């Protein structure tokens, strides 16, 4: 990533120093930023596949009576990620992060809507649309790619259907680890952009925003590449728990009990909420019948 950023920086510096108008420079920086973001996403998801493969190996071979770990597991996962699975990684990197961020935003906005039924219907339609997209573009697909070698769309669909059928989606829906890691990534980008902006203001005051925003993007990509190691491990644990909870139980019985208890609690909460909505709908229907009579 540092090597690519070094090459990319020459292009960005040439754009900033060029004699083009501000609009032309901004468009060129947008194109370069998309290139940087996609390359960073590809590298992050390559690390995601490598870590996912290793986590599965640790869970399978981590029990007391389990067979020993195969030799050179890291190199095998790396070779698999950059050869057989690389096309799926590049394809999924275009859409996964953007759709996941949009889903978080819509879910947060949906929870704050009051009694405005028209607005609620519009937001609910967008939420259902994004939920459909999540079935085909989600980060859990990379675990299926790492373990089973599936294509991206099939892996994403299988992972989401696995969560729906086992109820683990109730845990995933309330997972805050991605949001916390995203905050760390944004914070790293803000620190980088602020430092670069201050330096530019002291030496090149007319292009502070351009340099600062570019540096912020570079900082976010680098910090995100480090954060993806933690995120991919969490993602792999969810997939392992959905496919075979005994893997988690053999690896760490206390953690397995915590996950099982939390899942049971979430499912009970959803059932109570569904019963409450059904009761309210029945009550509204009876009141309408009485009113018509």
């Amino acid at each position: 990533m540092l090597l690519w950023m070094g090459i990319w920086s020459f292009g960005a510096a040439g754009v900033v120093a060029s004699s083009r108008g501000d609009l032309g420079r901004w468009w060129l920086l947008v194109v370069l930023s998309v290139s940087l973001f996609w390359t960073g996403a590809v590298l992050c998801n390559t690390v995601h596949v490598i870590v996912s493969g290793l986590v599965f190996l640790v869970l399978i071979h981590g029990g007391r009576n389990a067979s020993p770990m195969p030799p050179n597991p890291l190199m095998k996962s790396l070779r698999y990620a950059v050869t057989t699975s690389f096309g799926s990684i590049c394809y999924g990197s275009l859409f996964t992060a953007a759709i996941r961020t949009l889903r978080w935003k819509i879910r947060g906005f949906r929870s704050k809507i009051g009694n405005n039924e028209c607005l609620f219907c519009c937001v609910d339609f967008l939420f259902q649309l994004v939920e459909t997209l999540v079935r085909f573009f989600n980060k859990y697909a990379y675990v299926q790619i790492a373990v089973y070698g599936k294509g991206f769309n099939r892996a994403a669909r299988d992972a989401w259907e696995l969560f729906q059928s086992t109820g683990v989606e109730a845990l995933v829906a309330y997972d805050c680890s991605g949001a916390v890691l995203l905050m760390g990534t944004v914070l790293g980008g803000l620190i980088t952009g602020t430092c670069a902006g201050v330096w530019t203001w002291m030496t090149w005051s007319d292009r502070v925003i351009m340099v600062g925003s570019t540096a912020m993007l570079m900082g976010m990509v680098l910090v995100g590449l480090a954060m993806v190691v933690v995120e991919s491990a969490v993602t792999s644990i969810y997939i392992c728990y959905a496919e075979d909870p005994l893997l988690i139980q053999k690896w760490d019985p206390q953690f397995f009990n915590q996950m099982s208890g939390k899942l049971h609690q979430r499912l009970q909460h959803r059932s109570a909420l569904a019963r409450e909505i059904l009761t309210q709908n029945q009550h509204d229907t009876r009141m309408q019948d009485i009113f018509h009579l």
Side-chain angles (χ1 to χ4, degrees):
M1 191 68 229
L2 287 172
L3 178 62
W4 169 244
M5 279 190 171
I7 299 171
W8 184 89
S9 298
F10 282 104
V15 170
V16 173
S18 68
S19 58
R20 292 174 178 268
D22 286 343
L23 183 61
R25 284 203 301 265
W26 273 112
W27 275 111
L28 286 173
L29 281 178
V30 168
V31 173
L32 286 172
S33 298
V34 171
S35 170
L36 178 66
F37 175 78
W38 190 19
T39 306
V42 168
L43 291 175
C44 285
N45 291 325
T46 302
V47 174
H48 194 349
V49 171
I50 295 170
V51 174
S52 299
L54 287 175
V55 168
F56 253 81
L57 286 174
V58 168
L59 292 176
I60 292 172
H61 301 280
R64 295 180 180 178
N65 300 321
S67 58
M69 185 82 75
N72 297 324
L74 177 60
M75 293 307 299
K76 289 182 179 179
S77 294
L78 175 61
R79 184 170 61 250
Y80 186 75
V82 298
T83 54
T84 308
S85 303
F86 196 65
S88 296
I89 291 172
C90 293
Y91 170 65
S93 299
L94 273 174
F95 309 103
T96 307
I99 291 175
R100 182 176 52 177
T101 303
L102 182 63
R103 184 174 182 241
W104 285 343
K105 293 291 184 182
I106 292 178
R107 174 174 287 170
F109 185 69
R110 189 187 185 202
S111 63
K112 296 177 182 177
I113 296 176
N115 297 323
N116 192 330
E117 294 186 4
C118 179
L119 182 60
F120 181 82
C121 289
C122 294
V123 173
D124 190 62
F125 171 75
L126 288 176
F127 183 76
Q128 296 300 328
L129 179 62
V130 172
E131 285 292 305
T132 303
L133 291 175
V134 167
R135 291 176 61 89
F136 299 98
F137 300 100
N138 59 70
K139 62 181 180 179
Y140 305 100
Y142 296 107
V143 184
Q144 298 268 339
I145 291 171
V147 178
Y148 302 113
K150 299 177 180 178
F152 183 82
N153 281 344
R154 183 188 169 195
R157 186 174 61 252
D158 290 350
W160 200 248
E161 289 177 355
L162 177 66
F163 284 158
Q164 295 283 348
S165 61
T166 57
V168 176
E169 192 269 335
L171 276 180
V172 173
Y174 293 94
D175 177 44
C176 297
S177 61
V180 173
L181 294 174
L182 178 62
M183 288 174 60
T185 302
V186 173
L187 180 62
L190 287 174
I191 293 173
T192 308
T194 302
C195 294
V198 170
W199 175 80
T200 308
W201 181 74
M202 295 171 61
T203 59
W204 214 356
S205 59
D206 60 332
R207 294 176 183 176
V208 173
I209 297 177
M210 193 176 294
V211 174
S213 58
T214 305
M216 177 181 173
L217 180 62
M218 294 174 69
M220 288 180 64
V221 171
L222 274 178
V223 176
L225 188 60
M227 295 292 186
V228 76
V229 177
V230 180
E231 186 177 16
S232 58
V234 174
T235 302
S236 302
I237 288 174
Y238 280 129
I239 291 287
C240 287
Y241 183 79
E243 289 200 348
D244 188 1
L246 293 178
L247 287 176
I248 306 295
Q249 188 177 27
K250 292 177 182 177
W251 175 59
D252 191 335
Q254 183 178 0
F255 181 62
F256 168 79
N257 292 333
Q258 291 176 350
M259 286 194 71
S260 300
K262 184 61 68 175
L263 177 59
H264 182 66
Q265 178 183 346
R266 293 299 183 191
L267 291 176
Q268 281 187 328
H269 174 72
R270 285 193 170 188
S271 299
L273 187 62
R275 285 195 299 269
E276 182 180 346
I277 293 174
L278 180 62
T279 303
Q280 182 66 34
N281 290 338
Q282 291 175 347
H283 178 266
D284 293 342
T285 303
R286 283 197 294 269
M287 292 299 294
Q288 289 177 0
D289 293 340
I290 294 173
F291 177 76
H292 288 308
L293 290 174

